[in-house]
Amino acid sequence: MAQKYYAVRRGRQPGIYRTWPETQKQVSGFSGAQYKSFTTEAGAKAFMTAKATSTSKPAQKSATGTSTQTTTVVPTITVYTDGGSRNTGNVAGGHVRSVDKAAWAYRIELPDQAVTGSAGEFGATNNRMEIMAFRNALQRLVDLGQTQTGIQFVLDSQYVLNAITKGWLAGWKRRGWKRSAGPLVNAELWQDVDRLLPQFSHLTYQWTKGHATNQGNVFVDHLLNETMDGMHQDASRPVKTVKPAPTQASTPASTPEMKHQADTEQSVADIAQSLRNLPFGDN
């Protein structure tokens, strides 16, 4: 792995650090921190000598509808997310079928490592997979303890971006997780996103054209397609085992010979009973 230099221009103790844990101590939770990673010491020194810019911005409405003071922080983490569906019913008047494959994927590029994730399901839409990729990336960042650093999300879904940056999410929440025109599809996923977003201090977003020249986007697209390639209908949808109804015990079917024997035995029994009923007197 190439050596990195972490330049902290504004932090608890400005300077150039060689490891991310050292850098994180200087910037994590520090309001208005400015820092960036470089592959050369010269680049880090140039960043340090450049004039520090003001990071304060006017209060804005957050995605959850609350007024917050935002700051611009140089991102040190880049996250790529993508979702896709092999919709065989994607024709005029067609719909996603229960056997159609769908998957999501993310790639989190930390200063010292890359973390990826992907999974799939059958019968899901492309939008659902895009939301899941975004939501699961947020959750993984929380699990990694990366909520107070500069993070930039790069994705090709205008739907997800507009929901976050144009206030759609806040509107859906005010209406009880409904759209003005009717029900909100995938409402449970958007509720998870709404729960996760306030935990982050410095998030920025960038749209990129899907499946084009952005290598991070190309990577997650390839990853989710690998996931779909490995999906099998019988594995994801186990065959339902139906327990047979209990059966009652039965006697073996009778044969003509058995029936004849039974009739003969019954006739003998009837004759014996008749003889016993005859009025024989004493001699």
Side-chain angles (χ1 to χ4, degrees):
M1 180 178 294
Q3 174 65 55
K4 285 196 174 183
Y5 298 84
Y6 302 92
V8 179
R9 189 160 60 191
R10 294 185 62 175
R12 292 184 176 86
Q13 186 173 345
I16 297 175
Y17 299 86
R18 302 298 292 273
T19 67
W20 171 242
E22 291 178 304
T23 309
Q24 190 175 26
K25 291 178 182 179
Q26 310 307 320
V27 301
S28 180
F30 187 91
S31 179
Q34 291 186 359
Y35 52 97
K36 191 174 182 180
S37 64
F38 297 87
T39 57
T40 64
E41 186 176 11
K45 288 181 177 180
F47 177 79
M48 292 295 296
T49 56
K51 183 179 179 181
T53 58
S54 175
T55 60
S56 297
K57 283 188 175 182
Q60 298 178 354
K61 287 286 184 178
S62 70
T64 56
T66 58
S67 180
T68 59
Q69 187 73 24
T70 62
T71 57
T72 299
V73 175
V74 178
T76 58
I77 298 175
T78 303
V79 184
Y80 300 92
T81 67
D82 196 15
S85 173
R86 293 177 182 174
N87 181 3
T88 57
N90 191 16
V91 295
H95 300 282
V96 174
R97 300 172 183 174
S98 61
V99 296
D100 290 343
K101 298 178 179 181
W104 55 264
Y106 63 72
R107 176 182 173 88
I108 301 173
E109 293 186 350
L110 300 163
D112 55 354
Q113 64 175 321
V115 179
T116 63
S118 181
E121 64 180 83
F122 285 90
T125 64
N126 184 82
N127 277 346
R128 178 175 177 82
M129 294 295 95
E130 294 280 11
I131 304 167
M132 288 191 69
F134 182 71
R135 180 200 68 174
N136 292 340
L138 288 172
Q139 184 61 62
R140 188 62 183 275
L141 286 164
V142 170
D143 296 340
L144 292 170
Q146 301 290 349
T147 59
Q148 303 303 311
T149 57
I151 302 171
Q152 182 176 60
F153 273 85
V154 181
L155 56 162
D156 59 21
S157 172
Q158 292 281 10
Y159 176 59
V160 174
L161 279 174
N162 289 340
I164 304 302
T165 62
K166 293 189 176 182
W168 294 1
L169 187 65
W172 295 334
K173 185 176 182 179
R174 286 194 303 269
R175 285 188 289 268
W177 298 106
K178 297 178 181 178
R179 297 186 304 120
S180 58
L184 174 64
V185 181
N186 300 311
E188 79 284 0
L189 299 182
W190 286 121
Q191 290 175 35
D192 284 347
V193 171
D194 179 69
R195 171 182 57 83
L196 290 164
L197 282 176
Q199 300 181 49
F200 294 86
S201 299
H202 310 293
L203 292 179
T204 57
Y205 305 93
Q206 177 184 331
W207 177 84
T208 184
K209 183 178 179 180
H211 323 145
T213 59
N214 186 296
Q215 292 304 304
N217 178 264
V218 171
F219 177 91
V220 288
D221 175 68
H222 179 71
L223 182 57
L224 69 88
N225 273 284
E226 281 189 336
T227 297
M228 287 192 283
D229 289 342
M231 293 170 64
H232 301 286
Q233 182 71 5
D234 56 349
S236 65
R237 293 174 177 264
V239 177
K240 184 178 180 181
T241 302
V242 180
K243 186 178 180 180
T247 57
Q248 296 180 346
S250 60
T251 57
S254 61
T255 64
E257 292 78 5
M258 294 172 64
K259 186 176 187 301
H260 176 72
Q261 181 180 354
D263 291 342
T264 302
E265 290 175 353
Q266 184 62 47
S267 298
V268 172
D270 291 341
I271 293 172
Q273 183 63 39
S274 298
L275 291 173
R276 282 193 295 271
N277 291 337
L278 291 175
F280 294 110
D282 293 332
N283 290 327

